[in-house]
Amino acid sequence: MSTSAFEPVLVGIAQLEQRDADPVAGTGKEPLDLMIDAAREAAMDAEAPGLLAAADAVRVTRGMWPYENPAKAVAEAIGCPGAQTGVSMWGGDAVQLLLTESALEIQSGARQIVVLVGAECGRTQAKARRAGVELQWRATPGSPDRTFGKELKMRTRAEAVRGVSQPIQMYPIFENAIRHARGETLDGHIRRVSELWAGFSRVAAGNPHAWIREVATAEEIRTPSETNRPVSFPYAKLMNSNSNVDQAAALILCSTAVARRLGIPEAKWVYPWAATAAHDTYAVSNRDNLHSSPGIRIAGGRALELAELDVDGIAHVDLYSCFPSAVQVAAAELGLGEERPLTVTGGLTFGGGPLNNYVMHAIAQMAAVLRESPGDVGLVSSNGGFITKHAFGLYASVPPAKPFRYDAPQDRVDAMPTREAVPTFDGPVEIESYTVMYGPDGPAAALAACLLDDGRRAWGNTDDPEAMHAMVNEEFCGRTARLRELGTIEF
């Protein structure tokens, strides 16, 4: 086992929910306050209040708030004003990347104590918008000492022109591609997927920090209703990430030497064993297909190699779950059966989806699970973009056989097949996958990925009512059609 004095260890965790904020009445805390509360609670969890004053870095997951340097405000509030400040770039993989970098710095001796924190108040913001109230969140001027990650372009102009540019459009297209690749009927597919999502709901029911703890059955999840409106075929609302939450989380990492010096009980320690990161093609248009992910397969497999484990050695899993398609792709690429629990939180629908900060909740919850399961290993996956950016972390309450290890096998991912895309085309195509987007009055637009005879990909759409009705009731993947130069699909 690795017993280096510089071994990174997670010692403090916290998750907070704010359910009673009322922006009209002026009640409730803003995200910055929730971050500060979460950091303090994480130090209390570690049974070492002195952790915060001694922290030499505070790092915040970027969110849907106007703060410029929230890490500085957090550092000042928790008593370490001289700590290095950092903010991540956008992406669901940001938390794992922050943790990986922090663990490597602790391992090298460059840092001793790092506080990671993030918060969103999506519910408060939604209430304020409906009421026409302008939120008066305080300013945090200045620039952080470090910005983690890069601003990446993950949408092409051709995709946007055809109306395919948002997660609620792209992920159901992946979903229908999965159905076609598995040879499932429409009914058989939605039944299987709703059963998968019902399993996530059951996990959320047992998670005290989950946003929706009432169990939703598979039938309730797949059946449109007044409270479960259709969003994008085949997804109803309960298959979408839930950003209408006020949630915060914090993690505190330090070296084993610091943990011992501060008297943090070893029962609190959770070791990062290994981490990896890689990305698929930044543009979905260039993917070889729409139902798999070489990035997940290679980076996830490499994480297991670094930890000297196979998938059967993983006792607990949290797969990034913005939509069911993301879970299915990850499970298939990692060799995880859908019959086993694939979340420890309940996922972004039921556990809550506070934008980029979900994975901080997943790691905090995984740490809590591992503390109760000595010797077990847990896997947490991250996903940014459109099944684009991937980061993996393996954790356990016992030291790894070898010191914490990290790799980014991007060269292996880049060697995988890709596909050329064209912005316009006029001629015969095959429907590779599609979705139908719903508006207040029913189906509003159908969006499709189309394959040309030479294997190139193009995008098209239609608002023909008869075509849209057929597309939600019949299998259209694999059908032939004509794509016009302006993007209209004719069947």
Side-chain angles (χ1 to χ4, degrees), residues 74-90:
V74 172
E76 291 174 347
I78 64 177
C80 55
Q84 182 202 62
T85 60
V87 177
S88 77
M89 297 302 289
W90 297 101

Side-chain angles (χ1 to χ4, degrees), residues 177-465:
I178 292 168
R179 181 187 66 238
H180 186 56
R182 293 178 66 140
E184 295 176 322
T185 64
L186 268 65
D187 183 66
H189 175 78
I190 197 62
R191 287 180 178 276
R192 177 182 61 78
V193 173
S194 62
E195 290 288 352
L196 172 67
W197 230 232
F200 276 61
S201 177
R202 289 192 293 273
V203 171
N207 173 11
H209 299 291
W211 193 259
I212 301 176
R213 299 193 64 195
E214 300 81 13
V215 174
T217 67
E219 185 174 3
E220 290 170 332
I221 289 168
R222 67 176 175 260
T223 304
S225 66
E226 289 186 5
T227 57
N228 189 37
R229 61 181 176 82
V231 177
S232 48
F233 176 75
Y235 293 155
K237 182 179 178 182
L238 284 175
M239 290 184 176
N240 285 252
S241 175
N242 177 16
S243 61
N244 192 25
V245 299
D246 287 9
Q247 292 179 307
L251 306 171
I252 302 177
L253 288 133
C254 66
S255 67
T256 51
V258 168
R260 289 192 178 95
R261 187 173 74 242
L262 294 177
I264 300 173
E266 290 196 32
K268 297 285 186 178
W269 299 9
V270 172
Y271 294 83
W273 274 27
T276 55
H279 63 81
D280 286 299
T281 62
Y282 287 134
V284 172
S285 293
N286 298 125
R287 306 277 170 87
D288 180 51
N289 63 66
L290 303 179
H291 62 265
S292 70
S293 166
I296 293 177
R297 181 169 64 252
I298 292 169
R302 181 59 177 150
L304 293 171
E305 290 174 2
L306 293 177
E308 301 181 348
L309 292 170
D310 58 29
V311 73
D312 293 332
I314 304 300
H316 311 282
V317 176
D318 195 87
L319 298 184
Y320 196 87
S321 50
C322 48
F323 298 89
S325 55
V327 170
Q328 293 166 81
V329 170
E333 297 292 16
L334 296 170
L336 295 164
E338 292 180 13
E339 70 283 351
R340 66 176 291 174
L342 296 175
T343 181
V344 294
T345 68
L348 281 87
T349 297
F350 306 105
L355 199 65
N356 300 317
N357 205 49
Y358 167 78
V359 172
M360 196 172 295
H361 291 265
I363 295 172
Q365 189 65 20
M366 181 65 77
V369 169
L370 294 172
R371 285 172 174 177
E372 300 297 321
S373 309
D376 285 359
V377 179
L379 168 68
V380 176
S381 79
S382 307
N383 167 17
F386 308 111
I387 314 186
T388 307
K389 301 183 295 176
H390 314 292
F392 295 87
L394 288 163
Y395 302 88
S397 62
V398 295
K402 294 181 180 179
F404 175 71
R405 304 168 75 189
Y406 169 71
D407 191 20
Q410 190 59 46
D411 56 341
R412 292 171 55 193
V413 181
D414 290 343
M416 294 293 103
T418 57
R419 190 179 294 272
E420 185 181 347
V422 295
T424 60
F425 180 73
D426 194 311
V429 296
E430 177 184 305
I431 302 301
E432 181 184 16
S433 190
Y434 65 98
T435 188
V436 175
M437 304 301 299
Y438 285 80
D441 301 319
L447 314 171
C450 307
L451 295 180
L452 284 56
D453 288 343
D454 61 7
R456 292 180 296 169
R457 179 181 286 119
W459 297 91
N461 50 50
T462 180
D463 59 4
D464 178 75

Side-chain angles (χ1 to χ4, degrees), residues 118-129:
E120 292 287 359
C121 287
R123 186 169 183 267
T124 292
Q125 288 171 309
K127 282 185 173 182
R129 282 194 300 271

